[in-house]
Amino acid sequence: MKKFLLAILVMATITASAQTKFGLKGGVNLANVNISSQGINLSPDALTSFHLTGFTEFALGEKFAIQPGLSFQGKGFKFKLEDEDSGMSVEAQANLSYLEIPVNAVLNLPVGEGSLFLGAGPYAAFGLFGKQEGSVFGEDVVGEDYKVSFGSGDEDDFSSTDFGLNFMAGYRLKSGLLFNIGYGIGLSNMIPESQRDGDSKSNNKVLSFSVGFAF
């Protein structure tokens, strides 16, 4: 515990003396999941959603910085399977909303009238709310406006927490206007713990495009 408190004190001292910037960015998410079970891997279609992120950047020298943030993230997936011979059609879609806390290490490189930035780091996300739809032969099998339940029990739909890694790259003008592309890959199993069968796994992944401003 003493070492942990000392680490917090050291970080607080560093960030207090560092040049600090604040920023806000938002944009489009192309969300999906990786599903695997018994050696079979499935990746449904990407779901279009959005994100909004506020962040603080603590400079550690001229080129390096630590950038923690707080983000609303739309994740999920959509799936459609049709068989022309049998006429069978199956559709499913999940729209999931998370509160995400990313902490990225950022490298800033002066280029032209601004700077190129590259970053990576871990994130922790917490399920807020969501909606799920599903149909077979065009008939609703889930129920209209079915609300997703986050948790670890038999009646839950998805795990309540998601941990993973973020990667980002972009360009920031001297005015503060910035353009960002990011990729987040979940490392947590999103299948509720009580429902996991053998090696079955489901992991979030998100490709994002955003525009923002730092000051």
Side-chain angles (χ1 to χ4, degrees), residues 9 31 35 52 60 62 71 82 101 106 108-109 126 169 171-173 181 200:
L9 180 60
I35 302 172
L52 182 64
L60 303 177
E62 295 182 359
S71 182
E82 293 181 325
I101 303 173
V106 181
N108 293 293
L109 301 172
F126 307 91
Y171 190 78
R172 180 162 57 201
L173 299 172
I181 181 172
S200 59

Side-chain angles (χ1 to χ4, degrees), residues 146-158:
Y146 175 82
K147 295 182 179 179
V148 165
S149 174
F150 291 97
S152 59
D154 292 336
E155 301 300 321
D156 293 313
D157 302 296
F158 300 94

Side-chain angles (χ1 to χ4, degrees), residues 66-96:
I66 297 296
Q67 189 186 98
L70 187 64
S71 182
F72 177 88
Q73 290 282 345
K75 301 185 181 183
F77 64 90
K78 62 181 179 179
F79 176 79
K80 185 174 183 179
L81 177 64
E82 293 181 325
D83 186 270
E84 296 181 357
D85 295 332
S86 65
M88 178 180 175
S89 64
V90 178
E91 295 185 46
Q93 180 171 311
N95 296 273
L96 310 175

